[in-house]
């Protein structure tokens, strides 16, 4: 699946690389283009966050009123979301898109011969040649440990390994015309200083050289920028809504993510971490800019406008689900008119009437009652929205 995502991303990076011929700058410009393309989504997400913040006092009041009744609390929260036309899950989509793009970038960084140099078939041939060389002539040249590492890397990161051996042992790929010349002309670095195909390490084999230090700084810088973004976002949220309820575990997760990104960046080629650094940097700039743009007065106007717009437009999937769930709960709780009840007949068949609820129903009869009422509620929702 991630290969499918990598294909269009690879074409974009290929086009940029053809213009500037610098891999590091290509990733920076690529990240900027992705952020610009996703800005409308980020803008809507920011408005969604502002709308959620605007109803936090109401949510806090509901939690206080129904603290001992979780089911009723959930019902009242859903009603509030419906009235305001807010989808509390709306902010999840941009996060998912960002994660999918990151995985696509990972594929591109791991396969630069395929995606940047556009030599997919040649890369497969080169992988077979290198594998054959490691199993033959390579045994006489490389040490046992180096041979073991090379075979492992060829399985996990074949194209990056091919680039490495095309420089140190170009004779391996002599059977592919012009391959080594093309691959060796590819500068897989930032301004010729940091190899973005290398994996950062906290225990570099060659010691703490300048390149090893620069590689290690990429994951750390990525985590620091994400931490700054998290702290700033939490600060602005608390400042705008001092009475907002604590998010508890959600807040802890937000602070855990920078540590997770550091761990991930130390496990993947530096190009992925390099992308993550610039993605976090541009996200920070976007967040600060949007917070400066949305003054208190402008925020109030936007929220009022969005509230009116949500009343006119057709309910979305989340709102329809909430309405259906509420209808089912109302049916189970006997709301919306006289509650239909079950009555036993001489043939043990369960019938329904609009009288007062009968007492002494068995568990199976109550289950049958609830099942039928839920099906009726679903049918009404389907008729309302034209679904089958």
């Amino acid at each position: 699946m991630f290969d499918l995502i990598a294909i269009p991303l690879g074409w974009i990076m290929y086009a940029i690389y053809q213009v500037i011929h610098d891999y590091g700058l290509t990733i920076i410009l690529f990240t900027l283009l992705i952020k610009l393309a996703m800005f409308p989504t980020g803008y809507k997400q920011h408005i969604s966050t502002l709308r959620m913040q605007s109803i936090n006092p109401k949510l806090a009041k509901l939690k206080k009123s129904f603290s001992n009744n979780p089911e009723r609390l959930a019902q009242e929260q859903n009603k509030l979301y419906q009235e305001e036309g807010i989808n509390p899950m709306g902010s999840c989509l941009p996060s998912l898109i960002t994660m999918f793009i990151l995985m696509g970038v990972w594929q591109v960084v791991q396969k630069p011969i395929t995606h940047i140099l556009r030599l997919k078939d040649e890369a497969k041939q080169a992988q077979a040649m290198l594998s054959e060389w490691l199993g033959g002539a390579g045994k006489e040249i490389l040490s046992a440990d180096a041979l073991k590492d090379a075979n492992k890397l060829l399985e996990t990161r074949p194209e990056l390994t091919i680039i490495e051996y095309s420089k140190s042992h170009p004779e391996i790929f002599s059977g592919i015309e012009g391959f080594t010349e093309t691959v060796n002309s590819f500068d897989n670095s930032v301004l010729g200083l940091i190899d973005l195909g290398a994996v950062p390490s906290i225990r570099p084999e060659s010691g703490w050289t300048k390149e090893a230090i620069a590689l290690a700084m990429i994951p750390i810088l990525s985590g620091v920028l994400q931490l700054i973004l998290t702290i700033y976002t939490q600060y602005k949220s608390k400042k705008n809504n001092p009475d907002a309820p604590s998010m508890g575990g959600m807040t802890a997760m937000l602070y855990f993510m920078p540590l997770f990104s550091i761990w991930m960046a130390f496990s993947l080629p530096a190009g992925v971490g390099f992308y993550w650094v610039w993605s976090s940097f541009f996200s920070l700039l976007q967040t600060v800019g949007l917070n400066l743009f949305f003054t208190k007065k402008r925020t109030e106007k936007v929220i009022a406008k969005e509230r009116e717009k949500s009343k006119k437009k057709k309910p979305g999937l989340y709102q329809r689900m909430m309405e259906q769930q509420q209808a089912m709960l109302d049916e189970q709780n006997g709301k919306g008119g006289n509650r239909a009840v079950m009555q036993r007949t001489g043939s043990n068949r369960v019938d329904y009437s609009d009288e007062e609820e009968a007492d002494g129903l068995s568990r199976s009869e109550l289950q049958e009652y609830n099942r039928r009422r839920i099906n009726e509620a679903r049918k009404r929702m389907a008729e309302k929205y034209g679904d089958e």
Side-chain angles (χ1 to χ4, degrees), residues 266-294:
F266 268 113
S267 307
L268 300 172
V272 179
F274 190 70
Y275 163 80
W276 219 335
V277 166
W278 287 98
S279 179
S280 300
F281 176 72
F282 291 134
S283 294
L284 180 60
L285 290 182
Q286 176 179 292
T287 304
V288 172
L290 287 174
N291 277 309
L292 292 175
F293 176 77
F294 281 101

Side-chain angles (χ1 to χ4, degrees), residues 228-286:
I228 293 173
L229 177 59
T230 299
I231 293 174
Y232 173 77
T233 303
Q234 292 296 303
Y235 165 75
K236 293 297 294 185
S237 177
K238 193 66 177 177
K239 183 179 179 180
N240 295 333
N241 295 271
D243 298 326
S246 175
M247 298 298 288
M250 182 64 71
T251 301
M253 180 61 69
L254 290 174
Y255 284 99
F256 169 77
M257 287 306 295
L259 295 176
F260 175 75
S261 70
I262 292 176
W263 175 79
M264 284 288 292
F266 268 113
S267 307
L268 300 172
V272 179
F274 190 70
Y275 163 80
W276 219 335
V277 166
W278 287 98
S279 179
S280 300
F281 176 72
F282 291 134
S283 294
L284 180 60
L285 290 182
Q286 176 179 292

Side-chain angles (χ1 to χ4, degrees), residues 353-372:
S353 71
D354 291 329
E355 305 294 334
E356 294 181 356
E357 183 175 5
D359 295 327
L361 296 178
S362 67
R363 176 179 293 182
S364 61
E365 290 173 335
L366 287 173
Q367 289 177 345
E368 174 67 12
Y369 166 76
N370 287 332
R371 186 185 67 80
R372 291 201 181 186

Side-chain angles (χ1 to χ4, degrees), residues 47-87:
I47 293 177
S48 177
T49 300
L50 293 176
R51 295 184 68 193
M52 281 294 297
Q53 291 176 353
S54 70
I55 66 171
N56 274 335
K58 296 180 181 179
L59 289 173
K61 188 176 180 180
L62 289 176
K63 288 184 177 181
K64 185 177 181 180
S65 301
F66 303 105
S67 57
N68 297 324
N69 192 341
E71 183 178 346
R72 180 68 186 281
L73 175 61
Q75 293 179 36
E76 295 300 325
Q77 285 178 330
N78 289 339
K79 286 182 179 179
L80 180 60
Y81 292 142
Q82 292 176 37
E83 292 171 359
E84 297 289 335
I86 293 177
N87 180 2

